[in-house]
Amino acid sequence: MRPFEYERAEDPAGALATIARPGTAFLAGGTNLVDLMKLGVATPDRLVDLGDLPYDEIEVPAEGGLRIGALVSNSDLATHDEVRSRYPAVAQAVLAGASGQLRNRATVGGNLLQRTRCRYFQDVTKACNKRAPGTGCDARDGEHHDLAILGASPQCIATNPSDLAVALSVMDASVHYLGPHGPAAVSVHDLFRRPGDRPDRDTNLPPGSLITGVVLPECPLAAGSRYRKVRDRASFAFAAGSIAAALDVRDGLVHDVRIAWGAVAHLPWRTWALERALRGAPARAESYARAAEAELAAAKPLRDNGYKIPLLRNLTVELLEAMTP
Ligand code: SF4
């Protein structure tokens, strides 16, 4: 690992001042960044440890919803009573990721900013437009069975690895941050981006921004939400496909539905076409399958990841059937 400077931020203003210096990176739990530094993928000259900043609380605001500090650990998030009872898909998604030890260290902000696990991104001897823009993409003709089928570009077919982000998409969460012009917020739908011709950029956050927290709006539908994840082995693995869903059925018809898929795109994939197709439809397997197929019509699988199309369709039908009263 390259030598680097280390300092602890005493307050948010100090963190922002330091991150403005070239070669500086924020350090929260370090569960992804430190691995990337060991691999030579991340090469910061200076780390600013955020551990002393006041963003480690989960609060219930007077206006409803839930405010989650960016430094709340994944373990504390997943076991919080309000999260488990009012936003269960969030707790289930967090528990589906990593291991107990990693969840104790990993933070909410870090979870959202973790980098893709594309094996070529993590190998500095390979061509990768995300790690080294303009070098190419070895995944396209190489090992890509776990990579994107939706929203990819010729430059990059990476997937977003966050389980939490998929659940937050269903909750219509907003991400709050301190940017160059002061406090700001962005919908989780606009936080992440498609790779386009800038796959080196994972999010739309202005450079040097400090995530301070996530706000979950009040949402009665969320109380029945669920998260499911399919992976190559039973634990401690990234998804081959995943789904977060919330469903409201009245008189046998789908009154409201929200679904997001994970491990299919560069961002958590909110299934707007599926939801449009399903609202007002009979709440049964045939409708669920047809709606999933409407969303998957845009899929562009490569040689080895076409299995994700039936996987996501079947996962959607199975979960919605299980949620149908
Ligand atoms: Fe890099 Fe993206 Fe290609 Fe993976 S898919 S090698 S991250 S450019």
Side-chain angles (χ1 to χ4, degrees):
M1 191 188 285
R2 285 173 71 237
F4 59 91
E5 296 173 22
Y6 169 89
E7 57 186 83
R8 292 183 79 84
E10 293 182 359
D11 52 40
L16 288 174
T18 310
I19 198 72
R21 296 166 63 190
T24 305
F26 285 141
L27 175 70
T31 56
N32 184 215
L33 176 61
V34 173
D35 282 349
L36 294 176
M37 290 171 67
K38 290 177 183 172
L39 292 168
V41 174
T43 56
D45 299 319
R46 186 178 307 100
L47 292 183
V48 188
D49 193 327
L50 305 175
D52 294 335
L53 300 188
Y55 304 132
D56 58 353
E57 300 283 339
I58 298 177
E59 301 163 85
V60 182
E63 67 272 20
L66 209 58
R67 187 182 299 130
I68 303 162
L71 293 174
V72 169
S73 76
N74 284 196
S75 294
D76 287 347
L77 177 65
T79 54
H80 194 278
D81 285 345
E82 294 282 335
V83 178
R84 292 176 54 175
S85 61
R86 293 165 58 204
Y87 304 94
V90 172
Q92 293 165 15
V94 172
L95 289 175
S99 64
Q101 292 94 333
L102 285 169
R103 290 195 293 271
N104 288 342
R105 284 295 305 167
T107 65
V108 167
N111 190 317
L112 297 180
L113 295 181
Q114 63 180 302
R115 308 300 309 271
T116 184
R117 294 322 196 271
C118 172
R119 66 200 63 206
Y120 303 102
F121 174 76
Q122 299 185 96
D123 182 344
V124 295
T125 68
K126 306 298 185 194
C128 171
N129 288 322
K130 182 178 279 297
R131 174 175 32 77
T135 57
C137 171
D138 275 350
R140 186 161 279 278
D141 295 320
E143 176 52 64
H144 56 237
H145 81 280
D146 49 353
L147 299 184
I149 57 170
L150 288 162
S153 75
Q155 283 77 26
C156 181
I157 53 172
T159 48
N160 183 301
S162 172
D163 294 292
L164 172 62
V166 180
L168 294 185
S169 176
V170 158
M171 306 306 166
D172 288 341
S174 57
V175 176
H176 291 241
Y177 63 95
L178 293 174
H181 306 296
V186 62
S187 161
V188 72
H189 307 309
D190 299 322
L191 172 69
F192 299 103
R193 58 188 298 283
R194 299 180 185 213
D197 57 5
R198 287 296 308 273
D200 53 310
R201 295 185 58 204
D202 292 345
T203 75
N204 291 313
L205 288 176
S209 296
L210 172 64
I211 293 182
T212 56
V214 171
V215 171
L216 305 182
E218 190 65 31
C219 179
L221 187 65
S225 62
R226 297 196 200 172
Y227 185 77
R228 288 279 188 283
K229 177 175 179 177
V230 174
R231 46 192 159 181
D232 288 347
R233 57 174 188 258
S235 71
F236 198 23
F238 292 92
S242 69
I243 178 173
L247 178 67
D248 182 3
V249 173
R250 299 184 190 181
D251 300 325
L253 301 178
V254 175
H255 179 72
D256 200 4
V257 61
R258 297 184 192 178
I259 290 177
W261 289 334
V264 295
H266 199 252
L267 66 172
W269 192 264
R270 182 67 182 262
T271 62
W272 304 110
L274 184 161
E275 293 170 26
R276 274 195 304 276
L278 212 43
R279 284 194 190 95
R284 55 174 184 251
E286 295 75 17
S287 313
Y288 302 152
R290 256 197 311 275
E293 279 157 13
E295 186 73 42
L296 288 162
K300 292 190 171 55
L302 297 170
R303 185 194 62 222
D304 293 331
N305 63 359
Y307 73 94
K308 291 196 180 200
I309 293 177
L311 173 70
L312 267 297
R313 183 188 62 229
N314 295 344
L315 201 49
T316 301
V317 173
E318 183 196 59
L319 181 58
L320 291 180
E321 277 200 293
M323 295 171 75
T324 302

